[in-house]
Amino acid sequence: MRPVRDILICGASIAGPALAWWLHQHGFRPVLLEKAPAPRPGGHAIDIRGAALGVIRAMGLEASIRANRTQMKGTSRLDRDGNEVWRSEEMTISGGSFARDAIEIMREDLSRILLGALPKDVETIYGDSVEMLREDADGIDATFVSGTQRRFDLVVGADGLASSMRRQVFGPDSEYLLPFDMVLAPFSSPNMIGLEDWQITYDDGNGSCMIYTAPGNETLRVCFGFTAPLKDLLEDRASQIALVRENCAGMAWHVPGLLDNMEAAPDFYLGPIAQVKMKGWTRGRVALVGDAAYCPSPFTGQGTSLALVGAYALAREVAHYPTAPADAFARYEAIMRPFVEVNQAIAGLSRDPRFGSDPGYYTDVIEPAMAHAENAVKLPELTGAYT
Ligand SMILES: Cc1cc2nc3c(=O)[nH]c(=O)nc-3n(C[C@H](O)[C@H](O)[C@H](O)COP(=O)(O)OP(=O)(O)OC[C@H]3O[C@@H](n4cnc5c(N)ncnc54)[C@H](O)[C@@H]3O)c2cc1C
């Protein structure tokens, strides 16, 4: 078979640019295609841990990512009237213990750094997506929504939890999405409560939200989370905002003001909490990477680390088998499968009632499980953990 050269990657958030970087590094010609008209703003603080630290280190990006990390010094839990009922200066709820070597960074900052690291000759197309794929023995034709037609050797879906590549090639969401019937709605707000380098969980018994400072303290990131069946999730912003209002209207303290700020937030995002569970992540000349393939859900805090390691592993295997993509894909699946399974299992621990309120639960249960899961991948060059 002719060696692989041109590779289309759909999605330019985390997995997509990381994969493009690694493929370019191995001498391939990746094309990055993003549906949004520009790099997407917004998103919660996300974490890079374990083997994923090895990936950003190998990309030469560790220093710039650490320089842009969140700067929080601790966390408090507040009651309905805003009184502090618990505090810690050793951890945050979103990032875990400060004692561990992990980087917490806003999703948009990490995405910006990854996109900025791409060599100039990596073609990046915004505001378009794949409408149709047609594969033959020599390659795969992609027709974009804009009408553009291009031919590639491989196509990769890095288009997130609601991946349309997964739907087009592997089948409907109902076969692969495991919803937890909860949503998260993060957005930015002016720092109207004077919070400094700190994280708050406000819980009034009816509902809760997490609030923390973005680096520099000028803005807050607010995240509401509540129960909502996947089938009720509407795509337009106005309906999503109405859903948050409906579920959080009864909350007191500063929440009404934060809900008002939500209306104007440019980066408001509402997404279901769900996992993607698939028996295989590749078919023919198409592969999935990151949340599209194996979203572990925000309950694990490992979505970004799986995406970074998955991008690295996929590029590594395509580089090892440039004339045999099926072998490359089989190796990619074999490397990632145990890593994904152990990380997806963490979601169960985060759903325990002690999560978010009992510090002992972190030290005795969550931290040991995370410490094991974040390096449970047989890529010795990243972890040094296996021979
Ligand atoms: C705006 C936003 C906010 C987020 N907020 C949070 C959060 O608060 N907490 C959390 O844990 N995780 C959040 N995530 C998910 C988090 O980024 C991922 O779990 C993780 O980093 C893995 O990234 P990924 O690149 O696989 O997927 P994602 O980060 O979901 O990126 C998928 C990308 O594909 C693009 N895309 C979608 N459909 C198509 C298509 N048909 N063609 C081309 N491109 C397409 C999307 O616009 C997006 O840029 C958010 C993601 C986004 C995009």
Side-chain angles (χ1 to χ4, degrees):
M1 189 188 271
R2 187 171 54 78
V4 165
R5 190 186 62 172
D6 297 297
I7 303 173
L8 176 66
I9 303 166
C10 301
S13 171
I14 306 297
L19 178 64
W21 192 94
W22 280 107
L23 287 172
H24 183 275
Q25 181 79 357
H26 290 302
F28 299 105
R29 284 210 313 220
V31 173
L32 204 48
L33 179 69
E34 165 63 48
K35 188 169 143 187
R40 289 186 60 173
H44 226 348
I46 43 91
D47 303 290
I48 306 172
R49 305 186 178 107
L53 287 170
V55 175
I56 57 155
R57 209 164 277 149
M59 295 172 82
L61 295 179
E62 184 179 6
S64 58
I65 291 174
R66 282 194 190 276
N68 283 275
R69 73 192 192 287
T70 62
Q71 306 284 343
M72 286 175 280
K73 297 188 169 67
T75 188
S76 314
R77 193 171 176 82
L78 307 187
D79 68 10
R80 181 176 171 79
D81 301 318
N83 300 312
E84 185 174 276
V85 291
W86 172 76
R87 72 187 271 122
S88 169
E89 294 183 9
E90 286 159 21
M91 60 172 289
T92 60
I93 302 296
S94 58
S97 166
F98 297 148
R100 288 173 53 228
D101 184 21
I103 303 175
E104 188 182 53
I105 181 169
M106 308 310 288
R107 187 208 66 90
E108 65 189 2
D109 290 337
L110 178 60
S111 186
R112 176 177 46 77
I113 292 169
L114 292 170
L115 286 165
L118 289 176
K120 293 277 173 284
D121 58 334
V122 173
E123 184 184 352
T124 304
I125 304 165
Y126 286 98
D128 211 344
S129 58
V130 168
E131 188 168 71
M132 199 172 66
L133 293 173
R134 184 165 292 138
E135 183 172 336
D136 57 45
D138 293 329
I140 184 161
D141 290 314
T143 306
F144 297 176
V145 170
S146 62
T148 303
Q149 299 212 339
R150 301 273 295 261
R151 187 164 174 81
F152 298 94
D153 298 307
L154 301 176
V155 171
V156 181
D159 49 350
L161 179 67
S163 168
S164 73
M165 186 63 62
R166 191 181 60 233
R167 268 194 302 281
Q168 284 179 50
V169 178
F170 296 84
D173 287 352
S174 54
E175 286 182 31
Y176 305 116
L177 268 192
L178 181 71
F180 294 150
D181 288 343
M182 281 192 70
V183 295
L184 284 185
F187 61 92
S188 300
S189 157
N191 190 350
M192 55 188 256
I193 56 175
L195 204 61
E196 278 187 31
D197 301 323
W198 201 258
Q199 184 170 89
I200 287 171
T201 308
Y202 172 75
D203 190 345
D204 74 354
N206 300 313
S208 66
C209 64
M210 184 183 282
I211 303 164
Y212 55 89
T213 46
N217 293 319
E218 276 184 22
T219 60
L220 301 173
R221 287 295 193 283
V222 183
C223 187
F224 290 100
F226 51 87
T227 305
L230 195 61
K231 66 177 173 48
D232 289 351
L233 293 186
L234 302 158
E235 292 221 337
D236 69 289
R237 180 185 161 107
S239 311
Q240 292 178 341
I241 284 181
L243 185 72
V244 179
R245 279 207 173 272
E246 192 185 311
N247 279 275
C248 305
M251 292 167 71
W253 188 58
H254 288 288
V255 172
L258 293 170
L259 285 170
D260 288 344
N261 291 346
M262 172 178 72
E263 307 272 349
D267 58 353
F268 171 81
Y269 168 81
L270 184 140
I273 300 185
Q275 290 190 333
V276 175
K277 296 231 178 198
M278 303 179 75
K279 289 206 169 69
W281 303 309
T282 61
R283 185 168 289 175
R285 291 178 175 272
V286 178
L288 300 175
V289 67
D291 273 8
Y294 31 73
C295 176
S297 87
F299 282 149
T300 70
Q302 281 290 86
T304 301
S305 291
L306 289 186
L308 290 169
V309 175
Y312 170 84
L314 180 55
R316 174 189 193 260
E317 296 312 317
V318 175
H320 279 173
Y321 301 96
T323 55
D327 292 347
F329 286 175
R331 286 275 310 148
Y332 162 62
E333 300 228 11
I335 289 168
M336 289 302 290
R337 179 66 55 187
F339 188 43
V340 166
E341 284 178 357
V342 76
N343 279 286
Q344 288 194 327
I346 291 171
L349 302 179
S350 310
R351 304 188 79 193
D352 189 287
R354 288 170 292 171
F355 183 81
S357 58
D358 176 355
Y361 186 66
Y362 273 94
T363 43
D364 301 344
V365 180
I366 300 267
E367 294 292 342
M370 292 296 304
H372 168 66
E374 64 197 23
N375 277 310
V377 61
K378 292 194 175 181
L379 290 168
E381 68 274 29
L382 297 184
T383 64
Y386 294 85
T387 53

